[in-house]
């Protein structure tokens, strides 16, 4: 990389940023079990430790395990997906006893989130509460979160997505919005940089040393399923100078999701080629596997998967980073999950295309929740060895040299949200209510929620696919 002073001189744009002494917060992330990036959280006046909280740009709610979950019976589905009894899960991830916190505020609101639309087998339910939370150098006096008394999903999760994507159609200041509300940052925006063993979140700022070239600003496409999809215009798989496939996409989309360790792609590009080199497809996990060290595995390692965002930014992912070795059976698995979908079309209501952690490690992404825009560039090589170059994100997120995306505005029909009236509808001091809906009741009906018709009922990840993610993570873990 060029020296920092020369690199800055050559940048062809200005972000209209204030001095780095302004309001921003850095959060260091740890990659656990080669499957997800997490932080340690401290909740309540007595700072009860939650050992492992997944950082997820693909959801919007913060939830942790309630103490009552630890002593409850473990269902077959919970044991199958989590591989732990409820008591063991509390020992591994940590739990919260609201009776021990003097600052806890109970609410009369139930918490329910299902990560998709197809069934309710992978869901989290409990009650909403509010309390002080500390993560790294970030301390917030009042954070609204879910206390899970039933869950078939682990680990606990800190969602950083838009407020329009919150569980049950709620509208409250989630973690990044609460940071602005309490004066820790000036703009509800953050930058994400992931490495092989650790990552970094900058709330309210950008670190220019973390990327190569120029950031491209692109709008978040307002699909009815919510989330933060951006325009995907090309996907290619190359082997040196030759191309295995190179598909230009009309109105494609993809989610840049830190809560997902795998990246699904349509089967038509992979099926014949992978099988030709000896890879075997597993219908249950929807991915390919092969004996580690075989010629077919070595051949695929030379490939590069390329995603083109909004016609300009190309994120290149060495395929060797998308191979996971499972020592117990001596096999190598591709973290590309192959789906039955045959198109990336934006109009499709069935395809879900995610850029998971394996892709995000090769990208630098700035998420601006206030302007409903992302800024993306290829990640810098060895960025952890370079000097920081941090600048504060401006309120208008202005990048004068950015690509004009006016032709994409037909998909950008929802006004950016505000947080003027967000917060718990009612709170009181004391412990959380233990009355929760059963996870078998399905998604919330219109009479149970005040959500607008154009706001999703739950996360973008379909439950069948989320179940795959959980199963695959646990398979790699064990």
């Amino acid at each position: 990389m060029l020296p920092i002073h020369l690199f800055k001189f050559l940048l062809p744009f200005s972000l209209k940023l204030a001095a780095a002494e302004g309001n921003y917060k850095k959060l260091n992330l740890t990659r656990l079990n080669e499957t997800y990036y997490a932080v340690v959280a401290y909740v309540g006046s007595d700072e009860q430790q939650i050992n492992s909280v997944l950082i997820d740009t693909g959801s919007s709610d913060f939830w942790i395990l309630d103490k009552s979950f630890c002593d409850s019976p473990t269902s077959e589905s919970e044991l199958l997906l989590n591989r732990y009894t409820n008591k063991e899960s509390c020992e591994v991830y940590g739990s919260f006893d609201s009776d021990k916190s003097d600052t806890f505020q109970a609410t009369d609101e139930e918490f329910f989130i299902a990560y998709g639309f197809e069934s309710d087998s992978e869901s989290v339910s409990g009650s909403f509460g509010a309390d002080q939370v500390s993560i790294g150098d970030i301390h917030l006096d009042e954070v609204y979160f879910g206390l899970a008394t039933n869950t078939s999903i682990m680990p606990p999760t800190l969602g950083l997505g838009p407020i329009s994507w919150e569980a049950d159609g709620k509208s409250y200041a989630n973690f990044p919005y609460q940071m602005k509300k309490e004066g820790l940052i000036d703009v509800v925006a953050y930058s994400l940089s992931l490495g092989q063993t650790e990552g970094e979140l900058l709330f309210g700022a950008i670190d220019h040393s973390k990327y190569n070239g120029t950031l491209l600003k692109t709008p978040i496409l307002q699909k009815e399923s919510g989330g933060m999809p951006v325009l995907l215009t090309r996907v290619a798989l190359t082997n040196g100078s030759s191309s295995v496939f190179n598909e230009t996409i009309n109105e494609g989309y993809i989610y840049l999701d830190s809560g997902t360790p795998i990246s699904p792609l349509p089967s038509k590009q992979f099926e014949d080629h992978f099988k030709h080199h000896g890879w075997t497809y597993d219908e249950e996990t929807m991915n390919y596997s092969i004996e580690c060290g075989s010629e077919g595995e070595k051949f695929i390692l030379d490939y590069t998967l390329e995603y083109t965002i909004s016609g300009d930014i190309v994120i290149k992912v060495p395929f060797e980073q998308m191979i996971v070795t499972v020592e117990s059976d001596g096999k190598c698995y591709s973290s590309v999950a192959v789906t039955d979908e045959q198109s990336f079309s934006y109009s499709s209501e069935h395809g879900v295309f995610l850029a998971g952690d394996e892709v995000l490690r090769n990208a630098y992404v700035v998420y601006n929740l206030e302007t409903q825009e992302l800024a993306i560039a290829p990640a810098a090589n060895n960025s952890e060895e370079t000097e920081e170059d941090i600048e504060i994100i401006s309120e208008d997120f202005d990048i004068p040299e950015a690509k004009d995306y006016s032709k994409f505005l037909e998909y950008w029909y929802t006004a950016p949200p505000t947080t003027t009236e967000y917060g718990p509808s009612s709170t009181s001091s004391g412990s959380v209510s233990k009355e929760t809906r059963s996870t078998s009741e399905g998604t919330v009906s219109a009479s149970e929620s005040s959500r607008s018709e154009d706001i999703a009922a739950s996360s973008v990840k379909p439950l069948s696919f989320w179940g795959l993610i959980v199963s695959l993570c646990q398979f790699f873990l064990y």
Side-chain angles (χ1 to χ4, degrees):
M1 175 178 284
L2 294 170
I4 293 298
H5 67 279
L6 183 57
F7 182 73
K8 290 178 65 177
F9 175 78
L10 293 177
L11 282 176
F13 66 96
S14 168
L15 291 176
K16 292 185 179 179
L17 303 174
E21 286 74 19
N23 290 333
Y24 79 95
K25 288 290 183 179
K26 180 193 296 187
L27 190 59
N28 295 321
L29 314 178
T30 301
R31 189 184 183 200
L32 297 179
N33 304 315
E34 297 187 355
T35 54
Y36 65 94
Y37 292 82
V39 293
V40 178
Y42 299 89
V43 183
S45 59
D46 57 339
E47 298 188 335
Q48 297 177 46
Q49 181 171 316
I50 310 300
N51 304 322
S52 178
V53 178
L54 167 71
I55 294 296
D56 187 13
T57 62
S59 64
S60 300
D61 297 279
F62 178 33
W63 65 267
I64 57 179
L65 297 176
D66 183 70
K67 187 65 168 63
S68 65
F69 173 82
C70 308
D71 299 322
S72 63
T74 305
S75 68
E76 291 185 8
S77 62
E78 288 171 337
L79 188 60
L80 176 65
L81 289 171
N82 298 332
R83 302 294 181 90
Y84 296 122
T85 64
N86 291 359
K87 183 177 181 180
E88 291 170 338
S89 293
C90 289
E91 293 172 352
V92 172
Y93 300 111
S95 62
F96 180 69
D97 186 348
S98 57
D99 291 329
K100 294 182 179 180
S101 175
D102 297 333
T103 51
F104 179 75
Q105 302 173 67
T107 80
D108 59 2
E109 296 182 348
E110 295 179 346
F111 175 79
F112 179 86
I113 184 169
Y115 289 84
F117 303 100
E118 296 179 6
S119 86
D120 61 349
S121 58
E122 287 86 38
S123 58
V124 185
S125 64
S127 296
F128 270 110
D131 209 333
Q132 59 187 33
V133 174
S134 296
I135 301 177
D137 293 333
I138 300 170
H139 176 82
L140 296 173
D141 292 327
E142 186 179 64
V143 176
Y144 200 36
F145 56 87
L147 275 173
T149 54
N150 295 282
T151 178
S152 57
I153 298 173
M154 293 291 178
T157 298
L158 176 58
L160 301 176
I163 51 180
S164 61
W165 209 15
E166 290 168 345
D168 277 3
K170 298 288 195 303
S171 292
Y172 65 92
N174 64 8
F175 193 87
Y177 273 93
Q178 190 66 24
M179 289 183 66
K180 178 182 178 181
K181 191 174 181 179
E182 296 192 23
L184 274 64
I185 54 178
D186 300 323
V187 179
V188 186
Y190 52 87
S191 308
L192 180 65
S193 174
L194 299 181
Q196 292 299 319
T197 59
E198 57 189 23
E200 179 183 284
L201 261 174
L202 273 184
F203 287 96
I206 294 172
D207 185 349
H208 296 301
S209 72
K210 299 294 187 183
Y211 64 88
N212 288 326
T214 303
L215 284 167
L216 168 71
K217 186 173 68 172
T218 185
I220 295 172
L221 305 177
Q222 298 300 312
K223 281 176 61 64
E224 290 185 358
S225 58
M228 294 189 284
V230 294
L231 191 70
L232 179 69
T233 52
R234 174 179 163 272
V235 175
L237 184 66
T238 62
N239 183 9
S241 58
S242 62
S243 177
V244 178
F245 67 81
N246 188 340
E247 181 172 345
T248 300
I249 303 161
N250 181 30
E251 299 179 359
Y253 66 99
I254 195 163
Y255 296 82
L256 304 176
D257 185 357
S258 70
T260 302
I262 58 179
S263 303
L265 291 172
S267 61
K268 66 178 181 179
Q269 291 95 344
F270 287 89
E271 185 172 9
D272 292 340
H273 197 73
F274 271 60
K275 288 182 177 179
H276 176 74
H277 291 288
W279 290 70
T280 302
Y281 181 69
D282 188 317
E283 292 185 359
E284 182 177 353
T285 61
M286 292 166 54
N287 71 336
Y288 286 92
S289 66
I290 197 170
E291 292 294 326
C292 293
S294 64
E295 290 302 314
E297 190 251 341
K298 294 177 181 178
F299 187 81
I300 295 294
L301 292 180
D302 293 330
Y303 284 16
T304 299
L305 189 60
E306 299 181 358
Y307 296 83
T308 302
I309 308 297
S310 295
D312 275 7
I313 294 297
V314 180
I315 304 302
K316 297 183 178 182
V317 186
F319 214 88
E320 62 181 350
Q321 295 183 14
M322 307 192 82
I323 302 299
V324 179
T325 301
V326 178
E327 296 182 357
S328 60
D329 62 6
K331 288 188 177 181
C332 287
Y333 292 80
S334 167
S335 62
V336 174
V338 181
T339 75
D340 291 331
E341 295 300 323
Q342 298 298 303
S343 172
F344 293 90
S345 173
Y346 182 87
S347 62
S348 171
E349 292 303 320
H350 303 290
V352 178
F353 301 109
L354 307 176
D357 292 341
E358 307 294 344
V359 177
L360 286 175
R361 277 198 287 276
N362 296 276
Y364 186 73
V365 185
V366 185
Y367 300 77
N368 192 317
L369 276 59
E370 295 202 51
T371 63
Q372 294 290 282
E373 297 165 296
L374 302 187
I376 307 168
N381 295 326
N382 301 317
S383 60
E384 65 277 2
E385 300 177 5
T386 60
E387 183 180 352
E388 290 182 338
D389 185 12
I390 296 175
E391 294 187 88
I392 305 301
I393 299 173
S394 65
E395 291 186 1
D396 57 9
F397 198 50
D398 185 34
I399 306 177
E401 300 297 325
K403 176 183 175 63
D404 177 13
Y405 50 72
S406 59
K407 67 177 181 179
F408 308 135
L409 292 182
E410 61 183 290
Y411 308 111
W412 200 17
Y413 57 80
T414 303
T418 61
T419 58
T420 306
E421 300 178 356
Y422 294 154
S425 62
S426 61
T427 59
S428 61
S429 299
S431 60
V432 65
S433 170
K434 299 300 187 281
E435 293 184 7
T436 64
R437 77 188 68 189
S438 169
T439 58
S440 64
E441 289 181 14
T443 54
V444 183
S445 67
S447 62
E448 293 175 300
S449 171
S450 60
R451 73 168 59 87
S452 169
E453 290 183 359
D454 65 340
I455 293 179
S458 52
S459 166
V460 68
K461 310 175 183 90
L463 281 175
S464 61
F465 182 70
W466 180 242
L468 158 69
I469 293 172
V470 174
S471 300
L472 196 58
C473 287
Q474 296 294 351
F475 180 71
F476 291 157
L477 186 60
Y478 293 91

